[in-house]
Amino acid sequence: MLPDIEIIVGTYTDFLLGYQPAEKQDDSGEQKVYLKPTFADKSHAGSLKCVAGQGQWIASGGSDDRIFIYDMRTRKQAHIVTAHAGTINALEFTPDLTHLLSGSANGLMLATRVGSWTTEGNWSKAHAGKAVTHIACHPSSGLALSLGADQVLNTWNLVKGRVAYRTNLKSKRTLGSSPECLSWSTDGQHFTLSGPLLVEIWSIEKASVVRSTKTPSKPICVAWLDEENVLVGLENGSIAWIALNAEQDAAPKIIVAHDTRVKAMAHLNETLVSISSAGEIKMWSTEIEEQQLSLIASVNIECRPTCLALLDLKQFGKKVAAVKPLQQAKQVSEEVDEEQDEEEEEDEDIALMKPRSFVSIEYDQDAKAKPKSKTKPESESSNSSSEDSDDGGAKQKKKAATPKRKANDSKNKNKPDNQQSSSESENESDSDDIDFGSSSEEEQRRPKKVPNKRQSNTNHKQRAKQTKKEINHPPTLFNSFYYLFCLSINKNCFFSN
């Protein structure tokens, strides 16, 4: 009878692949089991780092900082988690299927509610800001273990949502600088940790290591068969079988499985699936009493794998067991990207449609004009009063000034020389709207001293510098614009649509 499982594989080439065992007749007419592809999805924009499966849900995390959730009952993509800002290193569903635990390279650890996919736990510094590398959830769903780049093992109380206690692994030299292979046993009484050439089995009751086993090669992955038997995938392509009920000094049984290193392993329904770095998937039947593995089927995916998970098809029944390809996942991701692009375009259009304001600048002529004399002629006072009452802008003043000058020029031709000079001074006073460098009356009344030649030269240079500064930075114009800038900040300036 064929195992009712589906193999989910993540790859370096951004693909999430699915395989299922099936039967076909060979040339001799006998039934032969093979692994047929069920789907190939490329929703991620980077290589996949981890895959988790529980119930009807499959979650995949990658180097694009996103987690894709798939509902395997409907064979559709259900949600995308974008709360992380770093590569997703670890994913784990709680056994009661209430939360999804995830850890990333930026040190963030999240607990996401299954179904609504809302974040209910957020620990930004789960491992002192260092990367979260491994997460393992206890079968009771009340505890969880996490490993980080700080070489600290955290024990989490998932009921209260906080760390119960921390275990510093820096003092354990046998585990090296980066312990790996964190995994719980099926009964939750033991968990494993591995070093460069060592596998340790820890006990919860004793809170210490109950078995330490040396391996001929570096341990890469771990799969528990039951509460006493654990399989360890090695870098040389072999699988080490470790039994807790064996003698303390007993060496593990080595089983040759692949030609290259065993990248990942998973066990479900008395079936073991292993995959090598060369892309070779092998399905094994396990015989615990005899400590043997029997090959059922194998296939080469022709790409480099990164992670592995198994999906139980018994929960779906026979109708769903004949699965259809997972084609809509990519379409859903493309639709989400298109909706985001449309929303950004709408925001830009709304920003362009916002009403704009214009500032009209007016100058107070009486306050800024230089006083020429104590008494003004009647014509000058009438001109100044008419200019003060004028509400037009600078352009209207210029247009109004040209006919006045022409009229004054025609009158001055018929007047004597002294009257003509006075009228010219009046025209000059009318044309002077703003005096940028005017001095005060007291400075004009002071008697001028006759300086020496040296003093005159120095004073001449100082005056030249002062006039140059005043030309470059006219004080009156600067103050007027600064005043308008302050008004615009306080929103008390004149606006016109």
Side-chain angles (χ1 to χ4, degrees):
M1 185 177 178
L2 293 176
D4 292 334
I5 62 174
E6 186 173 6
I7 304 169
I8 312 298
V9 181
T11 66
Y12 279 105
T13 55
D14 312 346
F15 277 98
L16 184 68
L17 306 177
Y19 290 88
Q20 186 180 359
E23 290 182 346
K24 67 177 180 179
Q25 291 184 354
D26 56 6
D27 297 336
S28 61
E30 295 180 358
Q31 295 291 332
K32 184 179 180 180
V33 180
Y34 73 103
L35 296 175
K36 67 175 182 179
T38 55
F39 69 87
D41 179 70
K42 193 178 181 181
S43 297
H44 284 276
S47 61
L48 277 73
K49 296 296 184 180
C50 50
V51 175
Q54 187 73 23
Q56 68 188 58
W57 304 105
I58 291 292
S60 63
S63 59
D64 57 352
D65 308 346
R66 296 183 294 176
I67 301 172
F68 285 85
I69 311 296
Y70 302 92
D71 186 354
M72 302 306 290
R73 187 182 296 276
T74 59
R75 316 293 290 187
K76 293 181 180 180
Q77 187 182 106
H79 191 72
I80 303 174
V81 180
T82 59
H84 286 278
T87 300
I88 313 300
N89 291 329
L91 284 175
E92 186 81 11
F93 282 100
T94 57
D96 58 0
L97 207 59
T98 58
H99 293 84
L100 172 65
L101 304 180
S102 57
S104 57
N106 65 340
L108 178 64
M109 185 172 172
L110 296 179
T112 306
R113 170 68 69 173
V114 175
S116 62
W117 308 113
T118 57
T119 301
E120 294 189 353
N122 188 323
W123 303 280
S124 59
K125 294 182 179 181
H127 286 271
K130 300 294 183 64
V132 181
T133 57
H134 297 79
I135 297 176
C137 191
H138 193 266
S140 65
S141 302
L143 295 175
L145 297 176
S146 66
L147 267 176
D150 57 348
Q151 299 183 28
V152 175
L153 177 66
N154 287 344
T155 302
W156 295 84
N157 186 343
L158 297 182
V159 178
K160 297 182 179 180
R162 62 187 182 187
V163 178
Y165 52 90
R166 293 180 172 87
T167 305
N168 193 348
L169 302 177
K170 295 179 181 178
S171 59
K172 296 186 69 61
R173 298 180 180 178
T174 55
L175 296 177
S177 59
S178 58
E180 295 181 355
C181 299
L182 179 63
S183 178
W184 285 98
S185 62
T186 56
D187 59 352
Q189 296 298 319
H190 302 87
F191 65 89
T192 57
L193 286 174
S194 69
L197 295 173
L198 183 74
V199 176
E200 292 183 349
I201 299 177
W202 292 57
S203 174
I204 294 180
E205 293 180 357
K206 298 181 180 180
S208 61
V209 180
V210 295
R211 191 175 188 88
S212 180
T213 304
K214 294 183 179 179
T215 57
S217 183
K218 180 182 178 181
I220 304 297
C221 53
V222 166
W224 283 87
L225 303 181
D226 55 15
E227 62 274 6
E228 292 183 352
N229 293 274
V230 58
L231 300 181
V232 181
L234 303 179
E235 192 173 17
N236 61 2
S238 302
I239 296 177
W241 190 307
I242 301 174
L244 288 175
N245 54 7
E247 295 180 1
Q248 186 67 28
D249 297 334
K253 183 178 181 179
I254 305 300
I255 301 172
V256 178
H258 298 274
D259 295 333
T260 57
R261 67 174 177 174
V262 183
K263 185 63 178 178
M265 291 192 306
H267 180 262
L268 181 65
N269 298 338
E270 299 180 357
T271 303
L272 177 71
V273 177
S274 62
I275 187 169
S276 67
S277 297
E280 184 183 20
I281 300 176
K282 287 187 176 182
M283 181 183 291
W284 311 82
S285 63
T286 59
E287 299 176 5
I288 297 177
E289 294 181 358
E290 298 179 0
Q291 294 187 359
Q292 290 183 358
L293 298 177
S294 300
L295 182 64
I296 300 174
S298 64
V299 69
N300 198 314
I301 63 175
E302 298 180 355
C303 60
R304 293 179 62 191
T306 57
C307 46
L308 175 69
L310 299 180
L311 181 67
D312 190 1
L313 297 179
K314 290 182 179 179
Q315 58 182 331
F316 302 138
K318 294 182 180 180
K319 293 183 179 179
V320 186
V323 294
K324 53 185 178 181
L326 184 65
Q327 296 177 351
Q328 298 183 2
K330 187 176 180 180
Q331 296 177 0
V332 172
S333 61
E334 291 177 354
E335 290 176 359
V336 171
D337 295 337
E338 290 178 358
E339 289 178 359
Q340 292 178 355
D341 295 338
E342 290 177 358
E343 289 178 359
E344 292 177 357
E345 292 177 358
E346 289 178 359
D347 294 338
E348 292 177 357
D349 295 337
I350 291 170
L352 293 173
M353 293 171 64
K354 288 182 179 180
R356 299 180 180 178
S357 59
F358 300 91
V359 181
S360 61
I361 302 173
E362 297 181 359
Y363 299 100
D364 190 359
Q365 297 177 3
D366 294 336
K368 297 179 182 180
K370 176 181 176 182
K372 295 294 181 180
S373 60
K374 294 182 180 180
T375 60
K376 293 183 179 180
E378 294 179 357
S379 61
E380 186 176 355
S381 61
S382 61
N383 289 331
S384 62
S385 62
S386 62
E387 289 175 358
D388 292 336
S389 62
D390 190 4
D391 295 333
K395 292 182 180 180
Q396 294 179 358
K397 289 181 181 180
K398 289 181 180 179
K399 290 180 181 179
T402 53
K404 287 182 182 179
R405 289 183 179 178
K406 291 180 180 180
N408 290 329
D409 292 339
S410 62
K411 289 180 181 179
N412 291 333
K413 288 180 180 180
N414 299 324
K415 288 183 180 180
D417 294 335
N418 54 1
Q419 294 179 358
Q420 188 173 357
S421 61
S422 63
S423 63
E424 288 177 357
S425 63
E426 290 174 3
N427 292 330
E428 290 176 358
S429 62
D430 292 337
S431 62
D432 292 336
D433 293 335
I434 301 173
D435 190 4
F436 296 105
S438 62
S439 59
S440 62
E441 294 180 0
E442 294 180 357
E443 292 178 357
Q444 292 179 1
R445 292 176 183 176
R446 289 177 185 175
K448 295 182 180 180
K449 296 181 182 181
V450 179
N452 297 329
K453 289 183 179 180
R454 293 180 180 179
Q455 292 179 355
S456 62
N457 292 330
T458 56
N459 292 334
H460 179 70
K461 292 179 181 179
Q462 291 176 358
R463 289 176 184 174
K465 292 180 181 179
Q466 184 176 0
T467 54
K468 188 175 181 180
K469 289 181 180 179
E470 290 175 353
I471 291 170
N472 292 332
H473 304 284
T476 310
L477 183 62
F478 175 79
N479 292 334
S480 61
F481 278 108
Y482 180 76
Y483 177 70
L484 290 169
F485 176 73
C486 294
L487 287 177
S488 63
I489 294 174
N490 295 325
K491 298 181 180 180
N492 293 325
C493 58
F494 301 98
F495 293 92
S496 60
N497 294 327

